[in-house]
Amino acid sequence: MRSPHPHRNGGETQQHFHSTISLQKLKRFNSLILVFRFSAFCFSLASAVFMLTNSGGSDSFHWYNFDAFRYVFAANAIVAVYSLFEMTAAVWEISRNATLFPEICQVWFDFGHDQVFAYLLLSANSTGTEMARTMKAACTDNKPFCVQSDIAIALGFVGFLFLGVSSLFSGFRVVCFIINGSRFYV
């Protein structure tokens, strides 16, 4: 891998040396990111599925009749698709030692989207929590509907936590890129 900074005399650019230990650290770091992205995917997908299959015994209690629950479903489904894409990118990077996009684009893409989707999940699940809280009086008749809504919202919050940790790791990569000119921390 070549450094983006040329020598002061205008000659060729120098090459970075990566030892076997630093490559192992990089693979371990990328594998850790993959685990957090996989966890965010699983919890967001589970939340979307729980909300999608949530319907009460009567016609009035369906998740799509409530704006907040539609928001919870949509946000979790979007984050599940995004996490699936990021898992694919992480597997690509681990297996080929290269990013899908040019390095600078990949670093900022990951960080920016992690931030946006983490806030989207937090917002959606907070809205769903408030709706579930106001529906507690109606939950005496449709207890399974309310319990399943609560489970979907709780799974969404756990997905947010894993996406938040992924966001911290991608932020660390951005800082490394700014300091070193590479997403590698070694």
Side-chain angles (χ1 to χ4, degrees):
M1 159 181 275
R2 294 186 172 261
S3 171
H5 308 292
H7 288 290
R8 292 187 190 266
N9 62 4
E12 290 220 3
T13 58
Q14 67 186 28
Q15 289 186 330
H16 287 288
F17 174 74
H18 292 291
S19 68
T20 307
I21 294 173
S22 65
L23 288 176
Q24 289 173 350
K25 285 182 182 179
L26 179 63
K27 282 197 179 226
R28 204 171 328 139
F29 185 76
N30 288 338
S31 298
L32 189 61
I33 290 174
L34 178 62
V35 166
F36 282 108
R37 293 201 185 281
F38 178 72
S39 299
F41 168 75
C42 289
F43 282 101
S44 295
L45 181 65
S47 176
V49 168
F50 263 84
M51 193 56 77
L52 183 66
T53 59
N54 193 8
S55 60
S58 66
D59 290 334
S60 64
F61 281 99
H62 293 285
W63 66 272
Y64 51 79
N65 291 336
F66 302 97
D67 290 336
F69 292 157
R70 286 194 306 233
Y71 185 33
V72 169
F73 168 74
N76 281 290
I78 289 168
V79 169
V81 170
Y82 166 72
S83 295
L84 183 64
F85 171 77
E86 283 293 335
M87 285 185 334
T88 305
V91 168
W92 178 277
E93 187 173 344
I94 290 169
S95 65
R96 300 196 183 203
N97 291 328
T99 57
L100 285 175
F101 303 130
E103 190 174 12
I104 189 168
C105 295
Q106 187 74 47
V107 167
W108 286 104
F109 178 87
D110 292 347
F111 180 67
H113 285 86
D114 284 350
Q115 292 287 310
V116 168
F117 290 131
Y119 290 127
L120 176 71
L121 265 187
L122 184 63
S123 169
N125 290 311
S126 297
T127 303
T129 300
E130 181 58 30
M131 176 56 110
R133 196 173 136 268
T134 58
M135 289 184 62
K136 287 298 177 191
C139 284
T140 56
D141 298 335
N142 292 315
K143 188 109 175 129
F145 176 82
C146 295
V147 168
Q148 195 164 345
S149 298
D150 291 343
I151 291 170
I153 292 165
L155 289 170
F157 274 120
V158 175
F160 160 74
L161 290 176
F162 283 113
L163 191 59
V165 172
S166 296
S167 179
L168 290 174
F169 283 126
S170 61
F172 178 74
R173 283 183 155 183
V174 167
V175 170
C176 288
F177 189 82
I178 291 170
I179 292 171
N180 298 332
S182 174
R183 72 188 185 286
F184 303 127
Y185 61 92
V186 286

